[in-house]
Amino acid sequence: MSKKRILAIGFWLSSVAVLAQTSDIWRQDSLQEVVVTGTGTRHLLKDAPVQTEVISQKMLQQYGGKSLEDILAGLTASFAFSEGDMGSQMQMNGLGNNYILVLIDGKRIHGDVGGENDLSLIDPHNIEKIEIVKGAQSALYGSDAMAGVINIITKKHTEKGVYADNSTRYGTHNDLRQHNTVALTFGKFSSQTNFQLQRNDGWQNTAEEFAEGMVLTDSKNKTVNKFRNWQLAERLTFQPTSALQLYAEGTYYKKNILRPRNGRHPSCDVYTYDLRYNNASASVGGKWYLGARGKEQGARGERDVVSLDVDWNKHAYYYDYTAKHYDYVLLQGEEYGDQNGEWFSVAMLPGQSKLQSDQQRLMGQLKGIFYLPYGHTLNAGAEYRYDYLKAPERTETGTAYDWTAALYVQDELNPLRWLNITAGLRLVENGNFGLRLTPKVSTMLSAGDFRFRLGWSQGFKAPTVKELHYRYLHLMGSSTFFNIGNIDLDPQTSNYYSANVEYRGRKLTAAVTGYVNKLDRMIALVNVPIGEIPAGVTTAYLGDGSSNVQARMYKNMDDARTSGIDVTLSYKLMKELTLNAAYSYLDTEAHLYDEKKDQTNTVIIDGTAHHKWSASAMYSHTFTPCYKLGVSLSTRGSSKRYYENNGDGKAFQIWRINTSHDLGKAGRMLAYRVELGVDNIFDYVDRTMHPYHLGNNTSGTTVYGTFTIKFNYGKNVKNNIYSPKHNSNNDED
């Protein structure tokens, strides 16, 4: 069946389902959901000018996911993950980590090693909701958002008094997830402290590995290695007046990856070092609300606001040696005759550590939102970002840096009650590549419960510091991949087109989105002959005795395209039972000119799966004032994923069930919750040998249980009774 016919059938089926439900009688909670990510201003979800997908608090509680990867893969169909030691290789509608902007309360997450993001930085128990905007549709966000934006909105306990909770989850493979919160609010001051701990013994799906030119049957390599991490976060807020809010916050995060040490094959399953990651961050800022409260706010009841945020982030990556290891040290300087210096063998002993990379980022943002006459909402801002990389043995000179400055302006115009036009411009100056201007425009027409949206936006992305300068050896079985930065890279540009039809009725919500994302000079790791590697670099890196080396260099594709259709459905079968489904069709294509053969090659972008889907049935019922039951049965799956190297990932389908039990009478200071669940009910396991790609790395059927206790002594407490809720301040103005 042709691609056009698949798209046409998808639109037709969804339209039929929508029109069949116009007489339904129950209205969904999502009609009143407020979102901020698409425009930076508050809108009811049904009226958001930019199409936004929301994973609500109710869905998060009923699904019971253990990690952000688990949640996104299980509750949407647009994401694919390949989890590894360094983090998650994430893909959204065909584009990977470097094109996906992950925000926590509107701020960029920091942490990238080998092109991966460590999403365990995000504590799932502390998530209030998740907002997803696809494509570079907003002028507010810069180069990291060509594929889209994921905004993690966290819980904020601001009710006066004391709030505390403890959640402990334990499951198969000694999987432990611990979360604690303590929040205090007195007068104009508030403090919230969060702690999380995660650990897992790892697992091995197969002992087969292709290495040393043969298939080994007794490899000790694990599918997922043993790990442990913990994070401590603190947020202080001060509100001296009703018009001014100030804050300061910081985090410290540490993660250890413990790898096999007792294998028989030195080239593949015996490791002489573990991996360690140290992260830290600090932020200060505030908001100043202009104008008065009450009727003087204007017809739309909003206040102008100006905000300032300054953030510093650090992500450091180390080798912790567990056995004697001969490493190669690069001594640099003019006396060695070239920028690569000379390499010397050095013995590293157990207990010693060596820094591999230290990435730091300093960022400042000033922005304002102004509600103007004649239906205009103006959003304007300025940003400055400085990126610094220290990698003594993985860059030409040991360090590298880059900076980017940006100005943006965006106007939301409502000339008619049923029409919204949002247009914006973003002016970017990069330290290496100069000035670029990118426009964005979208429009929304409202007709009863229907919304029709069209969008077009341009994107600009300068090469990252790592893509320009970073180089490292990556062992995969019997092969060594030499990944090389390229200082001759050009910036990437994109044009994103989307069309969306959405219906939000009393029982049914349905949305169909078609999109095309055209990228010019897309950057990717591409196989290149050894002869194309700069001579000095080749000598230095191949001087350590490596054999069977395959070179991969960051290069600009001539062009690339991703296109597809996303369909989401939510049907409230009865007051207590909701059915959800999502389907994503994706097609990708990239062209690369081969100078040696004088021809253009067409390739599929790595990690692409043409079909992905998810579905769930979520039921909840309050039996007595002291007991509420929740049950979620869900499934997710994917067709085959395509890769240029090391084979394709297999298709899979996985089912899970989660039950929640809320105990205790509502209105008391203490509340209890128990969750029990089974993941991968039908015991699916991909036993593809190392180091080839897996469709999914699940270990088979796993079971888990979670116990949560909450304590709240707030301003509403009277005679030991209170309103048992937290106040989530999700105002992302």
Side-chain angles (χ1 to χ4, degrees):
M1 188 178 294
S2 70
K3 299 170 187 174
K4 291 183 179 179
R5 192 170 298 175
I6 291 174
L7 295 175
I9 291 174
F11 274 109
W12 180 79
L13 289 175
S14 300
S15 300
V16 170
V18 166
L19 295 174
Q21 301 298 329
T22 56
S23 62
D24 293 328
I25 60 174
W26 284 307
R27 186 162 297 275
Q28 298 193 68
D29 297 337
S30 62
L31 289 175
Q32 302 305 314
E33 188 85 53
V34 175
V35 296
V36 298
T37 305
T39 61
T41 53
R42 295 164 62 87
H43 291 277
L44 293 177
L45 178 58
K46 66 184 181 70
D47 295 325
V50 175
Q51 198 266 336
T52 304
E53 186 175 347
V54 172
I55 300 176
S56 67
Q57 174 65 195
K58 184 177 180 180
M59 296 176 70
L60 290 168
Q61 288 184 342
Q62 291 192 280
Y63 183 74
K66 69 178 181 180
S67 64
L68 183 62
E69 294 96 329
D70 190 11
I71 291 167
L72 292 176
L75 294 178
T76 69
S78 301
F79 293 93
F81 294 92
S82 299
E83 298 180 49
D85 286 344
M86 290 183 173
S88 290
Q89 289 276 6
M90 175 170 51
Q91 193 184 77
M92 179 180 181
N93 285 352
L95 297 177
N97 296 55
N98 286 339
Y99 304 93
I100 304 169
L101 179 59
V102 182
L103 307 174
I104 300 178
D105 294 325
K107 297 179 181 178
R108 287 168 168 80
I109 187 175
H110 184 61
D112 163 42
V113 173
E116 300 170 337
N117 293 106
D118 187 358
L119 297 181
S120 57
L121 285 161
I122 301 170
D123 182 357
H125 191 85
N126 200 38
I127 299 175
E128 176 70 20
K129 65 177 179 178
I130 302 172
E131 297 180 8
I132 302 165
V133 175
K134 297 169 184 175
Q137 296 197 67
S138 177
L140 279 64
Y141 310 114
S143 61
D144 299 332
M146 281 184 170
V149 180
I150 306 168
N151 192 7
I152 312 297
I153 297 174
T154 62
K155 297 176 181 177
K156 300 175 183 64
H157 307 275
T158 58
E159 202 167 274
K160 291 187 182 298
V162 180
Y163 173 89
D165 67 39
N166 176 87
S167 179
T168 303
R169 172 178 174 138
Y170 184 77
T172 307
H173 307 301
N174 283 325
D175 186 78
L176 176 66
R177 313 276 166 150
Q178 175 69 35
H179 163 89
N180 295 92
T181 293
V182 176
L184 309 171
T185 302
F186 298 102
K188 298 177 181 180
F189 295 90
S190 66
S191 165
Q192 181 169 320
T193 306
N194 291 309
F195 173 80
Q196 70 158 324
L197 170 70
Q198 301 177 358
R199 58 150 295 161
N200 190 294
D201 286 346
W203 60 86
Q204 184 186 53
N205 288 345
T206 178
E208 288 190 335
E209 178 164 3
F210 182 75
E212 302 176 7
M214 66 184 75
V215 176
L216 308 175
T217 59
D218 57 350
S219 170
K220 300 301 180 183
N221 261 330
K222 290 189 174 184
T223 306
V224 171
N225 283 317
K226 183 177 182 178
F227 70 86
R228 58 175 180 259
N229 64 64
W230 62 271
Q231 183 180 46
L232 182 65
E234 172 66 28
R235 179 180 173 90
L236 300 171
T237 59
F238 174 55
Q239 188 163 354
T241 70
S242 61
L244 182 62
Q245 298 176 356
L246 304 173
Y247 77 90
E249 62 184 13
T251 66
Y252 182 79
Y253 170 88
K254 183 176 180 180
K255 182 173 184 177
N256 294 89
I257 307 292
L258 310 177
R259 309 199 296 176
R261 303 170 192 172
N262 58 346
R264 295 178 54 197
H265 310 282
S267 66
C268 62
D269 67 350
V270 175
Y271 291 96
T272 57
Y273 55 88
D274 293 332
L275 307 178
R276 173 167 52 91
Y277 307 98
N278 283 2
N279 283 30
S281 69
S283 304
V284 294
K287 293 180 181 179
W288 180 28
Y289 291 90
L290 309 177
R293 291 185 178 276
K295 295 181 180 179
E296 298 179 28
Q297 294 175 12
R300 284 169 286 176
E302 301 284 357
R303 303 176 72 190
D304 298 344
V305 61
V306 175
S307 64
L308 174 66
D309 300 279
V310 179
D311 307 300
W312 169 81
N313 294 268
K314 175 186 176 70
H315 182 87
Y317 159 46
Y318 297 85
Y319 286 171
D320 287 343
Y321 291 93
T322 57
K324 191 172 184 178
H325 175 93
Y326 287 96
D327 208 348
Y328 284 77
V329 177
L330 177 62
L331 299 181
Q332 297 168 314
E334 295 181 359
E335 63 270 26
Y336 295 105
D338 59 48
Q339 64 174 350
N340 294 287
E342 292 186 4
W343 291 77
F344 294 89
S345 176
V346 176
M348 303 301 297
L349 302 178
Q352 292 184 315
S353 297
K354 180 183 287 188
L355 174 69
Q356 301 302 307
S357 72
D358 179 2
Q359 300 172 90
Q360 298 189 39
R361 184 190 69 203
L362 181 65
M363 189 165 184
Q365 294 178 292
L366 175 66
K367 60 183 179 180
I369 300 174
F370 307 97
Y371 297 90
L372 306 177
Y374 307 108
H376 288 270
T377 301
L378 187 67
N379 196 325
E383 297 179 358
Y384 179 81
R385 171 175 171 172
Y386 178 83
D387 287 286
Y388 170 80
L389 170 66
K390 180 180 180 181
E393 297 174 16
R394 300 183 180 221
T395 58
E396 300 94 329
T397 60
T399 62
Y401 71 92
D402 191 19
W403 63 267
T404 301
L407 297 173
Y408 67 84
V409 61
Q410 179 173 279
D411 184 24
E412 297 178 50
L413 173 63
N414 291 89
L416 300 170
R417 182 180 57 84
W418 48 269
L419 177 64
N420 175 282
I421 300 173
T422 300
L425 289 172
R426 187 177 183 91
L427 179 65
V428 179
E429 182 176 11
N430 178 266
N432 292 314
F433 300 100
L435 283 169
R436 297 296 174 101
L437 183 67
T438 56
K440 329 273 182 176
V441 63
S442 63
T443 183
M444 181 182 72
L445 283 74
S446 303
D449 291 329
F450 287 90
R451 300 292 182 269
F452 303 90
R453 300 180 178 92
L454 293 173
W456 166 73
S457 61
Q458 286 189 346
F460 167 76
K461 180 173 175 59
T464 66
V465 174
K466 282 198 166 184
E467 289 168 341
L468 292 168
H469 302 285
Y470 204 61
R471 56 201 192 189
Y472 60 99
L473 293 172
H474 182 53
L475 300 177
M476 295 285 286
S478 61
S479 298
T480 301
F481 289 97
F482 179 24
N483 296 337
I484 315 158
N486 183 358
I487 60 174
D488 295 323
L489 290 172
D490 293 321
Q492 305 163 90
T493 58
S494 69
N495 281 276
Y496 180 82
Y497 307 87
S498 66
N500 167 260
V501 180
E502 184 177 71
Y503 172 82
R504 291 188 175 273
R506 298 178 182 273
K507 288 179 64 176
L508 178 75
T509 295
V512 182
T513 304
Y515 64 90
V516 177
N517 203 352
K518 295 183 177 181
L519 292 87
D520 191 23
R521 299 186 297 276
M522 179 181 178
I523 294 174
L525 271 173
V526 177
N527 292 341
V528 296
I530 294 293
E532 288 193 20
I533 303 173
V537 176
T538 304
T539 301
Y541 274 83
L542 302 187
D544 62 1
S546 299
S547 59
N548 196 21
V549 174
Q550 299 182 43
R552 295 191 298 180
M553 180 182 288
Y554 285 105
K555 299 192 74 171
N556 290 103
M557 300 279 196
D558 286 345
D559 62 73
R561 172 193 54 78
T562 69
S563 59
I565 180 171
D566 293 337
V567 180
T568 60
L569 298 169
S570 181
Y571 181 68
K572 201 159 191 176
L573 189 61
M574 59 181 67
K575 186 177 180 180
E576 297 166 322
L577 177 61
T578 301
L579 306 179
N580 305 293
Y583 168 75
S584 178
Y585 171 77
L586 171 66
D587 183 63
T588 70
E589 187 177 87
H591 298 103
L592 180 66
Y593 179 68
D594 188 330
E595 295 181 0
K596 187 175 182 179
K597 296 182 179 180
D598 192 24
Q599 66 183 31
T600 298
N601 298 323
T602 300
V603 298
I604 297 175
I605 295 176
D606 267 3
T608 293
H610 289 311
H611 309 279
K612 297 190 293 291
W613 57 91
S614 67
S616 64
M618 295 186 173
Y619 171 83
S620 64
H621 180 75
T622 301
F623 287 91
T624 71
C626 297
Y627 179 63
K628 180 180 179 180
L629 171 68
V631 180
S632 169
L633 178 64
S634 59
T635 184
R636 60 187 175 96
S638 172
S639 61
K640 179 172 66 175
R641 298 182 68 185
Y642 296 90
Y643 292 91
E644 185 177 0
N645 296 303
N646 298 309
D648 298 326
K650 294 180 180 178
F652 67 88
Q653 175 91 16
I654 293 175
W655 292 79
R656 78 191 300 266
I657 186 169
N658 182 73
T659 67
S660 61
H661 312 265
D662 290 295
L663 308 170
K665 188 174 182 179
R668 301 294 181 184
M669 285 189 295
L670 291 176
Y672 307 90
R673 181 181 179 90
V674 175
E675 292 183 22
L676 301 171
V678 180
D679 199 2
N680 197 354
I681 297 172
F682 299 107
D683 199 29
Y684 170 83
V685 180
D686 186 346
R687 302 195 186 280
T688 301
M689 76 172 70
H690 303 290
Y692 295 98
H693 290 290
L694 302 175
N696 191 281
N697 68 358
T698 177
S699 64
T701 301
T702 58
V703 298
Y704 62 87
T706 305
F707 177 72
T708 302
I709 181 170
K710 298 180 181 181
F711 171 83
N712 196 337
Y713 189 88
K715 66 179 181 180
N716 294 324
V717 174
K718 184 177 181 181
N719 298 325
N720 209 34
I721 297 177
Y722 86 115
S723 176
K725 64 180 181 180
H726 64 268
N727 178 16
S728 290
N729 178 13
N730 293 329
D731 186 352
E732 289 297 317
D733 291 339

